[in-house]
């Protein structure tokens, strides 16, 4: 039986249950998503954008789903031992794919109710189900954005997520409102059995709005997890979005994330994806320039060893003139790890004065590590400045020898060179406390110390 068949049968049998525990807005596009998924099936390696990851194999195992939305007992404040503390963020939690609004467990012998962080007036960070249940003009306005960028007809994983997702996170920033304090959303995977999680995020920034968002993925249990994630972000005229996605899970975790971003006139986006510990990760980014004068920076940092697999696939489409895109992805692969980067910049007819730079640089620390890289430019305008480049290599033997001559051990020399290589990406991050903390986390990762925190069983 093909991998997709179990999901087709699941939806046919449990459709009413899925809808009963969701909202009208999510339900309104569910059947179409199902039809699109059934028509497409999971993409094979013959599909260009999925040639480096076997999607059918990832979805073949039998995972459980929490379709009845049963509350899973967890105190996220205890389950989450943050590797990125003291950022002065507004902290929120998602347990699997459920927005957490419960209570903390005992603190000094008392139960303390959950209190949402204080936000500027008009800013919303809440569950989709909660927001969409309010019949107000704002709710009607926001609901129109759902599943518009993430076209289910174009991607089977997006279709699967859309047909199964029952709730999600909604972030809204009104016109000219600047959220000075970063929003940190901690995604905690928690289960006693193998579990599939379908996480959904909708971000809407009105004209002149600004926000910084940090998503941290962590696993609280040593169980197999399969996570599909779809993020849609609408960035209005002169708006600014900094989006950071940090993954620190474990070797049994499969993460398939699709991010869709639309930028309007003179908007600015920084998208950063950092993979420090994982099992199999497949990230897709589709970013479109719909208004002139917009600019984006897309940065990726990957450290992988053992049998880990990380695949980043990006598409930046310049629909209009006078836009700027910059991409920098760096990988360090050890042991038998596999990495892949496929980036495509599409400059359409009439998108003159486009500036674009794509760079992918990779280090393979062993002969068994594998890196696949495919940078692409597709240009249909004649007045542009576009360039791309890719390198795959090993640590410089001369530099290693030079450092050893000065009393530095080979192991330490390798660590220093790898740190220097990957730090170029981290230095691009605008959130300075996160940038400083990541320098420390990367060093811990290279030393094999990451996730060896008190109470953590993931490394045992």
């Amino acid at each position: 039986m093909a991998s997709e068949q179990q999901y087709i049968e699941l939806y046919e049998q449990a459709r009413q249950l899925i809808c009963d525990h969701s909202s009208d807005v999510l339900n309104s596009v569910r059947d179409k998503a199902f039809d699109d998924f059934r028509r497409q099936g999971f993409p094979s390696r013959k599909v260009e954008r999925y040639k480096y990851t076997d999607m059918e194999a990832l979805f073949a195992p039998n995972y459980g789903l929490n379709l009845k939305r049963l509350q899973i007992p967890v105190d996220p404040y205890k389950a989450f031992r943050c590797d990125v503390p003291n950022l002065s963020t507004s902290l929120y939690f998602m347990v699997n794919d459920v927005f957490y609004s419960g209570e903390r467990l005992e603190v000094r012998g008392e139960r303390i109710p959950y209190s949402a962080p204080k936000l500027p007036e008009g800013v919303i960070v809440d569950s989709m189900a909660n927001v969409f249940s309010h019949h107000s003009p704002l709710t009607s306005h926001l609901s129109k954005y759902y599943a518009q960028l993430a076209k289910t007809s174009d991607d089977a994983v997006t279709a699967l997520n859309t047909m199964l997702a029952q709730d999600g996170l909604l972030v809204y920033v009104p016109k000219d409102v600047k959220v000075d304090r970063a929003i940190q959303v901690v995604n905690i995977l928690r289960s006693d059995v193998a579990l599939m999680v379908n996480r959904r995020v909708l971000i809407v920034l009105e004209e002149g709005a600004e926000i910084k968002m940090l998503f941290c993925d962590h696993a609280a249990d040593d169980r197999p997890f399969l996570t599909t994630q779809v993020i849609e972000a609408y960035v209005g005229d002169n708006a600014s979005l900094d989006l950071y996605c940090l993954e620190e899970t474990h070797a049994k975790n499969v993460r398939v994330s699709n991010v869709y971003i639309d930028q309007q006139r003179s908007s600015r986006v920084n998208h950063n994806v950092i993979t420090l510990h994982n099992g199999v990760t497949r990230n897709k980014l589709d970013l479109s320039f719909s208004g002139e004068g917009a600019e984006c920076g897309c940065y990726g940092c990957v450290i992988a060893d053992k049998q880990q697999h990380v695949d980043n696939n990006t598409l930046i489409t310049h629909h209009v003139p006078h836009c700027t895109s910059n991409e920098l992805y760096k990988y360090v692969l050890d042991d038998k790890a596999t990495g892949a980067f496929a980036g495509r910049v599409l400059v359409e007819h009439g998108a003159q004065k486009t500036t674009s730079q794509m760079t992918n640089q990779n280090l393979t620390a062993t002969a068994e590590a594998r890196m696949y890289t495919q940078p692409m430019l597709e240009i249909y305008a004649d007045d542009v400045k576009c360039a791309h480049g890719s390198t795959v290599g090993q640590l410089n033997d001369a530099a290693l020898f030079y450092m050893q001559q000065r009393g530095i051990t080979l192991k330490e020399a390798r660590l220093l060179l790898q740190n220097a290589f990957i730090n170029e990406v981290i230095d691009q991050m605008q959130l300075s406390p996160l940038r400083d903390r990541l320098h420390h986390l990367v060093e811990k990762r290279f030393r094999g110390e990451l996730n060896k925190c008190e109470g953590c069983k993931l490394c045992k």
Side-chain angles (χ1 to χ4, degrees):
M1 181 175 67
S3 296
E4 60 268 9
Q5 189 60 36
Q6 63 177 317
Y7 298 99
I8 293 172
E9 294 176 358
L10 168 69
Y11 187 81
E12 291 174 337
Q13 296 169 9
R15 177 188 178 280
Q16 193 58 50
L17 178 62
I18 294 171
C19 293
D20 288 345
H21 291 82
S22 188
S23 65
D24 291 342
V25 174
L26 276 69
N27 290 338
S28 66
V29 296
R30 201 177 299 282
D31 286 342
K32 180 183 182 303
F34 171 68
D35 291 338
D36 289 335
F37 175 74
R38 181 168 53 181
R39 172 180 54 82
Q40 297 175 79
F42 287 115
S44 70
R45 287 177 179 252
K46 294 181 180 179
V47 177
E48 183 65 26
R49 295 197 72 178
Y50 285 92
K51 65 189 296 184
Y52 300 117
T53 302
D54 188 346
M55 302 302 294
E56 291 185 76
L58 295 185
F59 285 86
N62 185 19
Y63 292 90
L65 288 95
N66 186 10
L67 299 182
K68 292 186 178 181
R69 316 304 286 169
L70 300 176
Q71 185 174 0
I72 296 177
V74 61
D75 180 357
Y77 295 88
K78 289 184 177 179
F80 173 56
R81 299 182 181 277
C82 185
D83 278 325
V84 193
N86 303 321
L87 289 183
S88 297
T89 59
S90 296
L91 184 61
Y92 296 85
F93 293 97
M94 291 191 74
V95 179
N96 299 328
D97 52 6
V98 178
F99 183 80
Y100 181 81
S101 57
E103 62 179 5
R104 295 186 63 170
L105 297 186
E106 291 187 5
V107 178
R108 295 181 181 176
E110 299 180 359
R111 286 182 178 268
I112 299 179
Y114 173 79
S115 178
K118 187 175 181 180
L119 298 170
E121 184 177 356
V123 176
I124 297 173
V125 180
D126 202 349
S127 142
M128 285 186 188
N130 187 37
V131 175
F132 291 154
S133 65
H134 301 150
H135 301 288
S136 67
L138 177 60
T139 298
S140 299
H141 170 66
L142 294 178
S143 66
K144 294 177 182 178
Y145 288 99
Y146 180 75
Q148 295 304 302
L149 284 180
K151 300 292 185 182
T152 58
S153 58
D154 296 337
D155 187 276
V157 175
T158 295
L160 178 67
N161 178 281
T162 304
M163 81 187 205
L164 294 179
Q166 294 173 280
D167 197 359
L169 174 69
L170 190 146
V171 178
Y172 170 70
V173 185
K175 181 179 178 181
D176 293 328
V177 173
K178 295 176 175 54
V179 183
D180 295 327
R181 199 173 192 182
I183 304 296
Q184 184 177 5
V185 180
V186 181
N187 300 314
I188 297 178
L189 296 172
R190 164 75 180 90
S191 178
D192 295 327
V193 298
L195 184 69
M196 180 180 184
V197 173
N198 298 290
R199 188 183 303 133
R200 195 77 184 212
V201 179
L202 175 62
I203 303 171
V204 180
L205 273 62
E206 301 286 6
E207 179 181 350
E210 293 185 11
I211 196 170
K212 295 180 176 65
M213 297 206 64
L214 168 62
F215 290 92
C216 300
D217 282 15
H218 293 267
D221 292 298
D222 189 20
R223 304 287 181 181
F225 291 99
L226 169 61
T227 302
T228 72
Q229 174 178 271
V230 173
I231 298 177
E232 296 176 280
Y234 297 82
V235 187
D237 293 351
N238 296 295
S240 175
L241 170 65
D242 285 5
L243 182 59
Y244 305 89
C245 299
L246 170 63
E247 181 180 6
E248 291 181 85
T249 54
H250 56 62
K252 296 180 182 179
N253 188 67
V254 175
R255 178 181 187 267
V256 183
S257 174
N258 292 350
V259 177
Y260 301 87
I261 301 175
D262 180 72
Q263 291 191 238
Q264 297 297 320
R265 177 179 55 84
S266 300
S267 62
R268 184 188 66 82
V269 167
N270 275 313
H271 178 263
N272 303 264
V273 57
I274 307 106
T275 305
L276 294 185
H277 205 284
N278 71 309
V280 177
T281 297
R282 206 278 174 172
N283 297 316
K284 188 180 85 163
L285 168 66
D286 284 11
L287 187 147
S288 297
F289 289 112
S290 300
E292 295 189 23
E295 61 181 52
C296 75
C298 302
Y299 307 102
C301 164
V302 175
I303 303 172
D305 56 14
K306 302 180 180 66
Q307 304 284 342
Q308 294 167 3
H309 176 100
V310 184
D311 178 0
N312 282 293
N313 188 292
T314 69
L315 169 62
I316 297 179
T317 304
H318 291 256
H319 295 290
V320 295
H322 300 284
C323 292
T324 301
S325 63
N326 183 45
E327 286 185 87
L328 174 62
Y329 279 74
K330 286 195 169 189
Y331 290 61
V332 176
L333 306 176
D334 207 341
D335 300 329
K336 296 183 179 180
T338 302
F341 171 81
R344 178 178 168 221
V345 174
L346 172 60
V347 182
E348 295 187 340
H349 291 284
Q352 306 292 356
K353 303 297 182 181
T354 288
T355 301
S356 178
Q357 173 67 48
M358 181 196 305
T359 305
N360 173 225
Q361 297 175 333
N362 312 282
L363 282 179
T364 54
T366 66
E368 291 79 19
R370 293 288 181 268
M371 181 68 204
Y372 303 91
T373 178
Q374 188 181 23
M376 295 171 282
L377 296 177
E378 189 173 345
I379 302 171
Y380 298 98
D382 55 11
D383 186 7
V384 301
K385 294 180 181 178
C386 297
H388 67 302
S390 177
T391 60
V392 179
Q394 296 182 325
L395 293 173
N396 188 297
D397 288 337
L400 289 173
F401 178 76
Y402 177 86
M403 296 170 77
Q404 287 178 274
Q405 289 291 93
R406 279 145 185 80
I408 301 174
T409 65
L410 177 59
K411 181 179 179 180
E412 192 70 14
R414 287 167 58 89
L415 186 147
L416 291 172
L417 290 177
Q418 289 173 336
N419 254 325
F421 176 80
I422 213 75
N423 280 343
E424 183 183 355
V425 177
I426 298 174
D427 288 339
Q428 303 293 328
M429 298 181 183
Q430 302 298 311
L431 192 58
S432 56
L434 174 62
R435 183 174 63 242
D436 296 339
R437 182 62 181 165
L438 281 175
H439 283 303
H440 176 63
L441 286 179
V442 165
E443 182 176 347
K444 286 180 65 178
R445 177 67 174 90
F446 283 130
R447 293 185 184 277
E449 298 174 2
L450 198 60
N451 284 328
K452 292 184 179 178
C453 304
E454 181 182 356
C456 179
K457 299 179 181 179
L458 301 181
C459 295
K460 294 183 179 180

